[in-house]
Amino acid sequence: MEPELLYGVTDAVATVVLHHPAKRNAMTAAMWAALPPLLDTLAADPGVRALVLTGAGGTFCAGADISTLQDAPDEAPALAVRAENALAAFPKPTLAAVRGHCVGGGTQLAAACDLRFAEEGALFGVTPAKLGIVYPASSTRRLVSLVGPSAAKYLLFSGELIDTQRALRTGMVDEVLPADALEKRVEEFTRVLVSRSQLTQAAAKEFATGRTDRDAHWSAQARGSGETAEGVAAFLERREPRFTWTASG
């Protein structure tokens, strides 16, 4: 089967699967290029309230498929950055479910997600120093924001792989699950995400990136949404809230 991005939507959760098992789900140029428009489609779907990014089989992503990028080496970083930025800008919660290797471009994609859950035994690495590649400035800043300057320099300077326990300590991942428990935990947690106010999530996602010019916008959204009234009513009536505001609306 050709390298591709597979996707589906179940119970308001979109799942995007990096599918290139012959090369441990390494990203081809076509896969990088296909991700932003796919994300645009899913972002516009009011039936999607969260997104999971994962890899086919027992690995997440081994990075970029160098063999498909040789004809246009200068374009390769730009393709990866566009895909990474599109993922970071996705207006609903995103979660990377990581098994096996998460290396190079795979780490770029995982870092662009809001959250990362990993199975024990997963390995993480940022490897441009092994190839003489200048890691993009935006990707470097995102990595520093996630793990801190020292851990980012360790990864970038050495290209060494780190295990899940070190990844957890540095903030590269949010949860580490035993073998065979990752899928169940992701399902449980995404059920929580889709039950919460998408208004709260969308505003928090913007504010967490440091944006400071949208306070009035989100205040107006809150006033007109009815989300708070529904949340308070549900609390007083001891029932689950039915939040209706959508990030695509």
Side-chain angles (χ1 to χ4, degrees):
M1 186 178 291
E2 290 296 315
E4 60 183 332
L5 303 177
L6 304 176
Y7 70 95
V9 180
T10 303
D11 296 330
V13 179
T15 300
V16 176
V17 181
L18 311 176
H19 189 271
H20 190 186
K23 294 193 176 181
R24 294 188 300 179
N25 302 324
M27 295 287 287
T28 66
M31 291 168 72
W32 286 120
L35 188 57
L38 173 57
L39 293 173
D40 286 344
T41 297
L42 296 173
D45 184 349
V48 172
R49 298 183 70 89
L51 182 142
V52 173
L53 180 70
T54 193
T59 198
F60 183 75
C61 176
D65 184 347
I66 303 301
S67 67
T68 71
L69 304 175
Q70 288 177 321
D71 294 337
D74 294 335
E75 295 179 14
L79 284 172
V81 167
R82 280 197 292 271
E84 175 191 358
N85 288 343
L87 185 56
F90 194 78
K92 305 164 190 183
T94 57
L95 188 153
V98 179
R99 296 181 182 86
H101 283 71
C102 179
V103 180
T107 300
Q108 273 183 267
L109 291 174
C113 290
D114 298 313
L115 300 165
R116 288 146 297 280
F117 289 5
E119 188 175 83
E120 286 180 352
L123 294 171
F124 297 80
V126 188
T127 55
K130 292 184 177 182
L131 298 170
I133 295 171
V134 174
Y135 202 56
S138 61
S139 304
T140 301
R141 287 192 293 269
R142 184 170 288 116
L143 183 65
V144 169
S145 178
L146 185 62
V147 303
S150 182
K153 289 174 185 177
Y154 177 93
L155 291 164
L156 284 163
F157 290 0
S158 71
E160 294 291 293
L161 303 185
I162 62 172
D163 63 17
T164 48
Q165 293 308 311
R166 185 164 186 168
L168 185 64
R169 289 198 304 272
T170 62
M172 176 70 75
V173 298
D174 300 286
E175 292 190 14
V176 175
L177 287 306
D180 302 322
L182 178 63
E183 185 174 351
K184 180 180 178 181
R185 174 57 179 150
V186 169
E187 289 177 357
E188 291 173 345
F189 190 74
T190 52
R191 280 199 298 270
V192 172
L193 292 179
V194 301
S195 73
R196 305 306 195 218
S197 170
Q198 200 172 135
L199 173 66
T200 301
Q201 293 167 344
K205 186 162 181 168
E206 276 201 3
F207 293 157
T209 65
R211 188 161 182 175
T212 59
D213 62 339
R214 296 258 286 178
D215 296 58
H217 166 81
W218 288 114
S219 294
Q221 289 289 313
R223 286 193 300 272
S225 68
E227 294 285 272
T228 301
E230 168 59 16
V232 171
F235 177 81
L236 295 175
E237 295 167 16
R238 298 184 180 181
R239 60 170 174 82
E240 289 296 317
R242 295 181 291 272
F243 296 119
T244 58
W245 188 94
T246 63
S248 57

